[in-house]
Amino acid sequence: MPGLLTAYTAFQAGGYFAGTPALLAVVVGLALVARITLAERPFEGLGGGLAVAAGALGLYCAWILLSATWSDAPARGLIDFDRALFYWLLLVLLGSLRWDGARLAWAVRGVALALVGVCAVALLTRLFPDAIDVATAVAEERLSYPLTYWNALGLMAAVGIVLCLHFTASEREPIGVRVLGAAALPLLATTLYFTFSRGAAGVAIIGVVAYAVVARPRSLILGLAAAGPATALALVSAYGADLLASDEPTSAAAAAQGGDLAAVLAFCIAGAAAVRALAAPADARLSAVRISAAARRQAHVVAIAAMAAVALVGAVVLDAPAKVADRVEGFAEQGNPSEEDDFRGRLTEPGNNGRIKQWEVGWDGFREQPLAGGGPGTFALLWARERRSDLKVEDGHSLYIETLAELGLVGGLLIAVALGALLVGFAVRARGEQRHLYAALLAAGLAWAIHAGIDWDWEMPAATLWLFGVGGVALAARRAGVGAWDPPRFARVALGAACLVLLVPPGAMALSQWNLNRSVERLKSDDCAGAIDAALAAGKALPVRPEPFEVLGYCDVRIGRADLGVEMLEAAVAREPENWMFHYGLALVRGAAGQDPRPAARRALELNPREELARDAVRRFRTDDPQEWRRRAIDARLPIL
């Protein structure tokens, strides 16, 4: 299930938009209802560690829902609730099964297979742009298909690298899995490279090191010997294909480079697989070697001393402390990496891409309302009002700071406990049976947790859901404990009914979003009759949403009912009064109706002082003539388009 859901959400824009996580929450929730009502022991996997993680995440969902009741943007809170509920339902459903080593191994393999498959498709769009046309108007030089966001795709490749390194390095895996793990590493590394995601590359390195230190598989050297040279050759060849890293990666010359690189990559994949297959007999001999505890401790001491010596020599010879200090200073002071001459150079540039300004705004928002926060999903409104640059963002590029800004200290503590319980659970079990597998989960989870602190991975289920899905399987109880409780029929029905009630908000959101998408498409094609019907259906499914009323208002103006359009935009403003877009839209429809649009235009500018459309509206309506208001309103640009 985690693997299938990862693959599905990847091709749904990563699961970012409201409809996908809401729909999946309903699907997973219905599966949980079926288990609660039909299984002989529906909670046999529920143990201590899993209960802490599920309890904290469940309270986090409840806090989002509660916060939405006092938020100025309750519909945004429902979107956040649906996503968090999806993660919680996945954790509880898969954690309700009693632990089984083979089931866990297959769950991780399924996730790895999905990650490799998504990265393979993504890379094919870069290598063969003529055959697979996925051109985008945003950052053509960075690989982002199918997620539509390069850093999230890079994180998926990074997690895949950690898991596939485990598969090829662990002698406990079947020989076929070891060979496939080695073969996948050149492909994953090349995909990661073309995303030009520095954060994803950094956490990939952290994850690989963490796995090597915690797992210490004897066959690690064999896996690295098979996949290391092939991966290095693939990366060198990818770096040489400079046109694939340009703003015209689909040109004829770039396509020729893509074909050449594809041939090299195929050779690297086949070579890594062949070398790992030839080295397979050595795995058995390494496993047969018996090492005493004293010798193992001595080896660890020697290894640590050697690494310390290498680090010391490197620090002295390469002047590492000074260079690190320069990088840190550059990250803090430089907004965007310089990309004028060669985009490939951004991988070594220290710029923060405006993240520090976003974190400062988020932290200031937290300090204003430290306990409850400003409301779930409201960072975009906070940023629009307080931003210190022209960068437009919806999320705070940090799960932890954004959570503090939106949900306060309560929300921050709950998400920290939920994630911490998963990572601690992996670490504890990495000391016992299936040490290598749990070490891989710990390393991949650590990579995700670090990256989530500098990007909006939480909002991209394709890059995140594996943690909760596999986490439930991994932390399930090994023997009957809490799960020994066999609930009576009445309790089963009551729990199933409660779960169904939880599915009402995501079900309404999924239906509303489907109709809203239809209404916007009809509006774009000047089919206002169809747009009105779809918008009415979207509003009926979830009356608290402001967007359907925005569409209705614009369409009312187009069909000659500007007075009704004013009522619709006023309804949108009432549902989200801190959103500049609805005040801007209200200014337009008031102008079209011959009413004074200037107060609404000024309010839009107050809520987003750096927005050019808001500035234009204030300038546009700088007149007392109602006829001019009408003419200028009709000529203005709609933000929804």
Side-chain angles (χ1 to χ4, degrees):
M1 181 180 285
L4 290 173
L5 291 175
T6 296
Y8 173 77
T9 53
F11 290 91
Q12 300 295 319
Y16 176 81
F17 297 102
T20 301
L23 176 63
L24 293 179
V26 172
V27 172
V28 177
L30 291 176
L32 181 59
V33 170
R35 176 160 176 77
I36 290 173
T37 54
L38 300 177
E40 182 178 354
R41 291 188 175 87
F43 304 110
E44 61 181 340
L46 185 60
L50 182 61
V52 172
L57 189 58
L59 289 174
Y60 178 78
C61 295
W63 182 248
I64 292 176
L65 203 57
L66 181 63
S67 300
T69 62
W70 61 65
S71 170
D72 289 330
R76 290 177 176 265
L78 290 178
I79 293 174
D80 278 16
F81 170 75
D82 294 343
R83 186 188 306 113
L85 180 66
F86 167 52
Y87 295 149
W88 180 78
L89 289 168
L90 196 59
L91 177 68
V92 172
L93 174 63
L94 296 182
S96 67
L97 302 167
R98 188 184 298 186
W99 183 87
D100 181 276
R103 182 185 295 128
L104 173 60
W106 278 109
V108 178
R109 291 168 191 162
V111 169
L113 181 62
L115 296 175
V116 172
V118 170
C119 288
V121 173
L123 190 56
L124 286 174
T125 66
R126 183 54 48 105
L127 300 181
F128 302 103
D130 294 337
I132 308 175
D133 183 14
V134 291
T136 175
V138 181
E140 282 275 8
E141 63 277 0
R142 305 185 69 175
L143 191 60
S144 61
Y145 180 84
L147 277 75
T148 70
Y149 185 44
W150 41 87
N151 288 341
L153 178 61
L155 177 59
M156 293 182 73
V159 172
I161 286 171
V162 174
L163 297 182
C164 288
L165 176 64
H166 156 69
F167 289 135
T168 195
S170 176
E171 64 275 7
R172 300 178 185 178
E173 292 290 336
I175 178 60
V177 174
R178 278 174 269 163
V179 171
L180 291 175
L185 287 171
L187 184 150
L188 291 167
T190 305
T191 303
L192 174 56
Y193 165 75
F194 278 116
T195 66
F196 295 101
S197 175
R198 296 166 298 159
V203 299
I205 295 172
I206 292 173
V208 166
V209 172
Y211 175 75
V213 170
V214 177
R216 304 183 301 278
R218 296 185 181 183
S219 294
L220 179 61
I221 187 66
L222 298 178
L224 291 177
T231 301
L233 176 59
L235 289 175
V236 169
S237 301
Y239 185 84
D242 59 318
L243 296 179
L244 296 180
S246 68
D247 56 3
E248 294 183 356
T250 61
S251 64
Q257 284 190 351
D260 294 340
L261 178 57
V264 173
L265 184 59
F267 172 77
C268 293
I269 292 172
V275 173
R276 190 64 187 95
L278 292 173
D283 290 321
R285 289 194 289 271
L286 286 173
S287 299
V289 175
R290 294 291 178 263
I291 303 176
S292 65
R296 191 179 297 110
R297 285 193 296 269
Q298 291 176 356
H300 291 167
V301 171
V302 171
I304 293 173
M307 288 188 291
V310 170
L312 180 61
V313 171
V316 173
V317 173
L318 301 177
D319 195 20
K323 291 183 177 179
V324 170
D326 289 341
R327 291 289 176 181
V328 172
E329 183 179 356
F331 178 82
E333 296 180 355
Q334 183 177 332
N336 293 320
S338 58
E339 303 160 359
E340 296 180 1
D341 299 326
D342 190 342
F343 193 82
R344 297 172 297 176
R346 86 177 310 276
L347 290 172
T348 57
E349 290 288 337
N352 61 73
N353 272 44
R355 279 170 171 73
I356 289 181
K357 293 179 180 179
Q358 296 168 42
W359 299 340
E360 289 173 348
V361 169
W363 185 254
D364 289 344
F366 165 64
R367 291 195 302 175
E368 289 178 6
Q369 302 183 70
L371 183 61
T378 58
F379 179 85
L381 306 180
L382 174 66
W383 172 255
R385 187 174 65 249
E386 305 293 340
R387 60 178 169 157
R388 298 154 194 174
S389 73
D390 291 333
L391 188 65
K392 297 180 181 180
V393 298
E394 286 290 319
D395 303 288
H397 283 81
S398 173
L399 168 63
Y400 314 115
I401 294 178
E402 184 175 343
T403 299
L404 289 173
E406 294 182 350
L407 298 172
L409 190 60
V410 175
L413 288 175
L414 289 173
I415 197 64
V417 171
L419 296 176
L422 289 173
L423 295 179
V424 170
F426 295 157
V428 169
R429 296 197 178 187
R431 303 177 61 186
E433 186 181 354
Q434 290 192 308
R435 186 187 79 217
H436 297 171
L437 186 55
Y438 278 101
L441 291 177
L442 175 61
L446 184 63
W448 181 92
I450 294 173
H451 197 269
I454 60 173
D455 223 311
W456 36 280
D457 307 308
W458 182 263
E459 289 82 7
M460 296 293 284
T464 297
L465 68 88
W466 70 269
L467 181 62
F468 298 98
V470 176
V473 181
L475 299 188
R478 295 175 182 268
R479 56 183 61 88
V482 177
W485 174 54
D486 184 10
R489 181 180 300 274
F490 174 78
R492 288 172 178 265
V493 172
L495 289 173
C499 190
L500 287 175
V501 171
L502 284 178
L503 301 184
V504 171
M509 179 63 72
L511 181 59
S512 174
Q513 188 64 37
W514 181 71
N515 282 295
L516 181 61
N517 292 341
R518 289 196 306 127
S519 70
V520 173
E521 289 302 318
R522 302 285 173 82
L523 177 63
K524 289 180 178 180
S525 60
D526 292 325
D527 176 14
C528 266
I532 289 174
D533 288 342
L536 288 172
K540 183 178 180 181
L542 203 61
V544 74
R545 299 194 77 181
E547 295 88 354
F549 294 92
E550 182 186 23
V551 176
L552 289 171
Y554 295 144
C555 280
D556 287 336
V557 171
R558 288 187 177 182
I559 63 176
R561 293 295 307 278
D563 54 338
L564 187 56
V566 172
E567 293 182 22
M568 294 299 100
L569 261 299
E570 287 176 344
V573 168
R575 284 160 173 77
E576 200 165 296
E578 298 299 308
N579 192 325
W580 75 272
M581 288 179 60
F582 302 134
H583 289 276
Y584 173 83
L586 180 58
L588 297 190
V589 297
R590 279 182 176 171
Q595 301 177 19
D596 189 353
R598 291 172 292 184
R602 287 194 296 267
R603 182 55 178 160
L605 188 59
E606 290 173 1
L607 293 173
N608 197 346
R610 290 179 175 269
E611 173 55 49
E612 184 54 39
L613 282 181
R615 293 174 179 173
D616 175 70
V618 172
R619 293 192 299 263
R620 179 181 296 270
F621 296 121
R622 206 172 278 164
T623 176
D624 294 324
D625 186 353
Q627 293 301 323
E628 280 298 306
W629 291 340
R630 291 189 180 94
R631 185 182 64 80
R632 296 179 184 184
I634 296 300
D635 291 339
R637 208 172 90 208
L638 299 184
I640 199 172
L641 301 183

